[in-house]
Amino acid sequence: MTTSYKYSLCFLPDEALIQKVKQMKLALADQIGWYNSKNSIAHITIAEFQSDELGINKVMERIRQQCLYFVPIEGSLDTFGHYPNGAFFLAVDEKNKSTLKTYAKKIIKKIDLSYIYKSSDPHLSIARRLDPDRLQEAFAFFDKPNLPFTCSQIALRRFNPVRGQYDIIEYIPFKSLEDKEDEQLTLF
């Protein structure tokens, strides 16, 4: 019998932003107390899915192939936002949000899994499941953000049930190669 694991694919920003977001999360925890996602490394979710070891190897080969053609992104996180489920997040600037959506769609199309959760709105979560009062406190606590970031890789993470967090098990860099497939399609 093969064991199935829960995986997450995400865009991973540069180390400077990861550290800045970590400090923001710690400061927010000092203000409002513990919250979901407090200890999660800064990331922008693409998808979550279940797979066994054989399946994940096939998925990763397809992702590595697709990332050959992705160009690194220089963007900014320029506003805070929230979702009705109590998520409090940093929003990606509109130009780069569009690029991340395009990259995510290409990845999803390549991996072709039957059961998958897809994120439709690229964002970087600060906190999850905040009640309305703590959500209001989070908005009041921070000044308007202007956080530059570089995104030049995707991370594959596997859920660690002991820690209750995802562990990064592979980094897949963007290689900026010319995509001949797209070029051929434009000829016809």
Side-chain angles (χ1 to χ4, degrees), residues 136-147:
Q136 188 174 5
E137 269 190 84
F139 272 105
F141 182 68
F142 292 109
D143 293 330
K144 180 173 173 37
N146 182 14
L147 301 170

Side-chain angles (χ1 to χ4, degrees), residues 55-79:
I56 198 64
N57 290 334
K58 291 177 184 176
V59 165
M60 290 312 296
E61 186 52 42
R62 292 176 182 159
I63 293 170
R64 285 184 210 102
Q65 185 65 33
Q66 185 61 59
C67 285
L68 292 173
Y69 308 107
F70 288 169
V71 176
I73 295 168
E74 299 284 336
S76 69
L77 302 166
D78 55 7
T79 57

Side-chain angles (χ1 to χ4, degrees), residues 26-42:
L26 292 173
L28 182 61
D30 287 346
Q31 179 71 21
I32 68 171
W34 185 91
Y35 56 86
N36 289 32
S37 291
K38 174 185 171 271
N39 297 318
S40 179
I41 187 172

